[in-house]
Amino acid sequence: MELPRRSVLLSLAGLAASACASRTQPVATPFTDEEIVPDAVIPLWPEGVPGGVPAGLTEHVVYRDNPFGRVDRAAHDITSPSLSLFRPASPDGSAILIIPGGGYKWVVIDKEGFEGARHFSGGGATVYVLRHRLPHQGWSAGAEAPLQDVQRAVRVIRSRAGRDGIDPSRVMVMGFSAGGHVAGTLATGFDAAVYPPVDSADALSARPDAAALIYPVATMTRPFAHKGSRLHLLGNVPTDEAVAASSLENRVRADMPPVFLMHAADDAAVPVENALLLHASLRAKGCAVSMHLFETGGHGFGLRGIAGTPLEAWPSLVVAWGRAKGIFP
């Protein structure tokens, strides 16, 4: 059941919504905290998550300090996976599923989620921000819990095509950091049978039509694996088989959607080799892939602090690529 806008406003401490910014508008244009409010929140599993919620787990939101003086929240111990919906003023039929990062320890809300949703919805895309479960917290599905949620998310989005004014054949997934690993796992495992169908939405395809992976966690192999993501996905002493199976470069398949990769070469948290290894595997399989590497930028910037730098171009690069792939008109 979709929660109405009034409920969303109340749950976000009364933040008020305002008009969308244009996709063509420079990302330097500041957003205020009052602008970053979803139009609705859509529960993924209205009858409860597969296998039930582990005992003692209570979802909560943590407010974090940041150098931009912005609201910066992270969702911890997620028990109710959901989609936060951002409707455009003038829908163009495209849809974007944004998956923020958080190292599989939490899920970022604002920096890589709501801010990007507001930006891309301003150009006509209907944007959904995923809040998925975390694999290390006792779920019966274990490491597959995020894949259950992201598969379900794409199917729910397609089931709402008429209501939300989208074309179900123009759905892009956009993942940041560990969210890029979730997006890549979906792009390579969209047809994996990881949960029993719960309603008519599960008869729909979970294959996205394009996948944009922004400074993604890709490999779980050392020395290039992101330590935190590997730990929270696979545990302290994962088997060689588990490491190989969860490394995106080993999961590439010829029938996966086209991929956009973006990374900064000086990323000290998730080494650029994550993108390079995945790019090489995609090319070897003959998959459609575009890659953009920036000399500097570090990790986890999203839309913050990029004005006046080469990084300012990345949202426009995604849009141009998405246009070429038929996602955007």
Side-chain angles (χ1 to χ4, degrees):
M1 176 179 176
E2 177 180 316
L3 300 182
R5 184 179 182 83
R6 176 175 171 78
S7 298
V8 175
L9 291 173
L10 291 172
S11 69
L12 293 176
L15 298 179
S18 67
C20 299
S22 168
R23 181 191 286 146
T24 59
Q25 194 172 25
V27 296
T29 299
F31 294 111
T32 65
D33 296 330
E34 288 75 17
E35 288 176 313
I36 312 300
V37 180
D39 294 299
V41 176
I42 306 160
L44 283 184
W45 309 96
E47 303 303 318
V49 295
V53 176
L57 206 60
T58 302
E59 186 168 334
H60 60 285
V61 171
V62 173
Y63 285 73
R64 314 184 301 174
D65 291 332
N66 66 92
F68 301 96
R70 298 290 308 279
V71 169
D72 194 348
R73 297 165 293 179
H76 290 240
D77 303 337
I78 294 161
T79 59
S80 301
S82 63
L83 293 169
S84 293
L85 169 62
F86 289 77
R87 293 189 178 98
S90 301
D92 64 17
S94 65
I96 303 175
L97 171 61
I98 290 181
I99 311 172
Y104 282 121
K105 189 175 183 180
W106 52 69
V107 175
V108 171
I109 295 173
D110 302 285
K111 184 181 68 170
E112 293 167 345
F114 288 6
E115 291 174 14
R118 181 62 78 199
H119 177 75
F120 288 104
S121 69
T126 300
V127 185
Y128 308 80
V129 180
L130 176 64
R131 184 180 297 192
H132 62 79
R133 288 171 293 155
L134 303 164
H136 64 289
Q137 297 188 310
W139 301 101
S140 59
E144 289 188 332
L147 180 58
Q148 289 181 335
D149 289 345
V150 73
Q151 280 190 357
R152 173 72 178 170
V154 174
R155 290 169 173 144
V156 167
I157 288 169
R158 288 199 164 112
S159 75
R160 296 173 55 92
R163 182 189 307 186
D164 293 343
I166 67 165
D167 180 342
S169 66
R170 293 163 55 200
V171 178
M172 174 192 289
V173 61
M174 179 185 296
F176 296 79
S177 193
H181 189 269
V182 178
T185 302
L186 172 69
T188 56
F190 53 85
D191 55 356
V194 292
Y195 68 88
V198 297
D199 57 27
S200 59
D202 288 322
L204 302 173
S205 173
R207 181 186 183 275
D209 301 297
L213 311 185
I214 312 301
Y215 41 80
V217 171
T219 190
M220 291 293 158
T221 60
R222 293 180 171 134
F224 303 124
H226 178 244
K227 183 178 179 180
S229 294
R230 174 180 157 125
L231 172 65
H232 294 116
L233 181 67
L234 301 177
N236 280 308
V237 189
T239 65
D240 291 343
E241 291 77 14
V243 169
S246 57
S247 294
L248 298 184
E249 70 271 19
N250 299 327
R251 297 172 57 90
V252 170
R253 50 194 279 186
D255 61 344
M256 63 187 291
V259 175
F260 175 100
L261 292 169
M262 190 274 282
H263 223 105
D266 68 345
D267 191 329
V270 179
V272 70
E273 282 80 7
N274 281 260
L276 295 172
L277 287 168
L278 182 53
H279 182 262
S281 292
L282 288 162
R283 290 196 65 204
K285 282 285 189 179
C287 300
V289 58
S290 176
M291 182 166 67
H292 297 271
L293 300 181
F294 293 92
E295 180 181 0
T296 60
H299 185 76
F301 42 83
L303 295 177
R304 296 183 177 186
I306 66 175
T309 76
L311 295 172
E312 189 175 24
W314 82 256
S316 296
L317 293 172
V318 171
V319 170
W321 175 79
R323 203 172 279 134
K325 298 303 176 185
I327 303 297
F328 306 124

